[in-house]
Amino acid sequence: AAKTRNDGAVVYDAAMDKSSDKSLSLLTELRNAIERNEFRLFVQPKIMLDTGQVVGMESLVRWVHPERGNVFPDEFIPFAEQTGFIRLLTRWVMEKSAELCQQLAAQGHHLKVSVNLSTRDLLDQDLPVKFADLLARYRLSPGSFCLEITESAIMDDPVRAQTTLERLSNMGVDLSIDDFGTGYSSLAYLKRLPVNELKIDKSFVLNMENDEGDTKIVRSTIDLGHNMGLRVVAEGIESEAVWRLLAELGCDQGQGYFMSRPIPGDQLVAWLEKWRA
Ligand code: C2E
Ligand code: CA
Ligand code: CA
Ligand code: CA
């Protein structure tokens, strides 16, 4: 139903079907959401499993929609990726993450902030330059950022992904493979890419104290990561038993509802004070 005019503008005719009607309005709503300040930066603490020290946080976006209320990322991130809107959203998340990181540092909390990247971000040639500019504006070292990439985002276009990741890595930022074990299983990229961290997907962690198969997968992933000189992080820790088991297996860091759900960024200092107490 969309037609491109000879001046390049896309026009939609009345015969447009319902689903494209819906997605057109979702895209409009997403675009407006940035201007209307409807996105919120939530963060989830990342913790050393041996000492309990908080060393980082993962930025997770929330959309507070005027009518629909809290919209979770699973409901709009895939759409944002398809339409390319994700690039704007990623820049928003990076900006807010840098701002929070700087505020926390000023209060003596030096946490590394992890930001999720999508396929589209990896194909964005401007990303490394924009990122360097961000670091300069907030006077942050590249080491205060970790960028999380999924295996499937890499495998979408491995050659271009590698180029972008090498440029980012050369700047000194940490790179993490997210949802490890759930994507295309090509371990070869682990050898080639300048990765610092492996994140074990929560599907293997959630119920691992009752599931021998999960425990074996987690144990092997920790060993694989360590053999390759990587930091290993587990997500989805919902109980003390799982924390203890992961610590015994030598997993370096973890995050999960047992320690904290994702919370609004401006509530993190209060959370940190309680955690230390
Ligand atoms: P992810 O990157 O794998 O993030 C981890 C998800 O697990 C988060 O869901 C988090 O709230 C949830 N989680 C953390 N601890 C636990 C736990 O103990 N138990 C359970 N059951 N879940 C836990 P969330 O925030 O709904 O985000 C879902 C996904 O949406 C993320 O998965 C990520 O792929 C995407 N996403 C979120 N924010 C962003 C963003 O700013 N940019 C991009 N590109 N993607 C994002
Ligand atoms: Ca992530
Ligand atoms: Ca994950
Ligand atoms: Ca995930």
Side-chain angles (χ1 to χ4, degrees):
K3 293 190 181 116
T4 308
R5 293 192 319 220
N6 48 16
D7 62 357
V10 178
V11 285
Y12 289 87
D13 65 34
M16 201 160 50
D17 65 75
K18 270 225 174 86
S19 71
S20 70
D21 197 8
K22 233 181 174 172
S23 50
L24 182 62
S25 72
L26 179 56
L27 183 57
T28 308
E29 282 189 85
L30 281 171
R31 288 192 175 132
N32 291 337
I34 289 201
E35 284 153 36
R36 294 177 186 162
N37 221 2
E38 291 169 6
F39 290 114
R40 296 278 174 279
L41 185 77
F42 273 54
V43 292
Q44 186 178 39
K46 278 174 87 175
I47 289 163
M48 294 298 299
L49 292 178
D50 53 354
T51 61
Q53 192 197 349
V54 185
V55 287
M57 57 184 166
E58 177 176 4
S59 291
L60 295 159
V61 69
R62 297 288 179 265
W63 181 13
V64 186
H65 189 280
E67 285 123 41
R68 281 183 276 175
N70 257 324
V71 189
F72 281 84
D74 286 336
E75 295 174 53
F76 63 91
I77 295 278
F79 180 78
E81 286 178 356
Q82 282 164 35
T83 54
F85 175 77
I86 193 77
R87 290 184 186 191
L88 283 180
L89 188 62
T90 298
R91 288 192 188 156
W92 183 90
V93 172
M94 286 197 154
E95 188 80 30
K96 295 292 164 187
S97 300
E99 197 180 307
L100 181 60
C101 205
Q102 190 195 48
Q103 282 168 8
L104 289 169
Q107 296 176 70
H109 300 292
H110 296 277
L111 304 188
K112 195 188 278 283
V113 63
S114 293
V115 172
N116 292 287
L117 294 188
S118 75
T119 309
R120 292 275 194 145
D121 297 312
L122 291 181
L123 302 180
D124 182 355
Q125 309 282 348
D126 290 343
L127 185 75
V129 175
K130 288 272 166 16
F131 183 59
D133 170 67
L134 180 79
L135 294 175
R137 282 189 288 115
Y138 287 92
R139 297 168 186 279
L140 293 169
S141 73
S144 45
F145 266 86
C146 177
L147 301 175
E148 298 191 0
I149 318 116
T150 61
E151 300 173 281
S152 37
I154 294 166
M155 297 320 279
D156 247 30
D157 188 343
V159 177
R160 277 174 82 180
Q162 175 147 7
T163 309
T164 310
L165 294 176
E166 272 166 2
R167 284 172 69 196
L168 289 165
S169 173
N170 288 337
M171 292 170 56
V173 64
D174 271 15
L175 299 177
S176 173
I177 304 289
D178 202 358
D179 300 351
F180 189 77
T182 62
Y184 300 66
S185 43
S186 164
L187 290 172
Y189 67 82
L190 263 192
K191 194 177 77 175
R192 286 198 314 267
L193 294 175
V195 172
N196 309 83
E197 177 184 285
L198 272 196
K199 250 181 132 165
I200 306 174
D201 190 68
K202 58 178 177 288
S203 60
F204 304 114
V205 175
L206 287 171
N207 199 31
M208 67 179 279
E209 87 273 34
N210 303 314
D211 190 315
E212 219 177 298
D214 284 344
T215 305
K216 284 180 180 162
I217 291 173
V218 169
R219 185 200 306 272
S220 313
T221 308
I222 294 169
D223 291 346
L224 171 72
H226 285 166
N227 286 333
M228 305 215 45
L230 308 176
R231 171 167 85 228
V232 181
V233 181
E235 64 177 21
I237 303 175
E238 292 190 355
S239 68
E240 192 173 3
V242 168
W243 177 338
R244 205 175 304 129
L245 185 51
L246 285 163
E248 277 167 21
L249 295 175
C251 188
D252 304 294
Q253 297 179 16
Q255 51 187 106
Y257 294 171
F258 179 69
M259 296 84 127
S260 172
R261 288 184 175 256
I263 53 173
D266 56 14
Q267 289 176 20
L268 187 66
V269 170
W271 183 89
L272 286 166
E273 302 295 332
K274 266 201 308 197
W275 182 256
R276 267 189 303 189

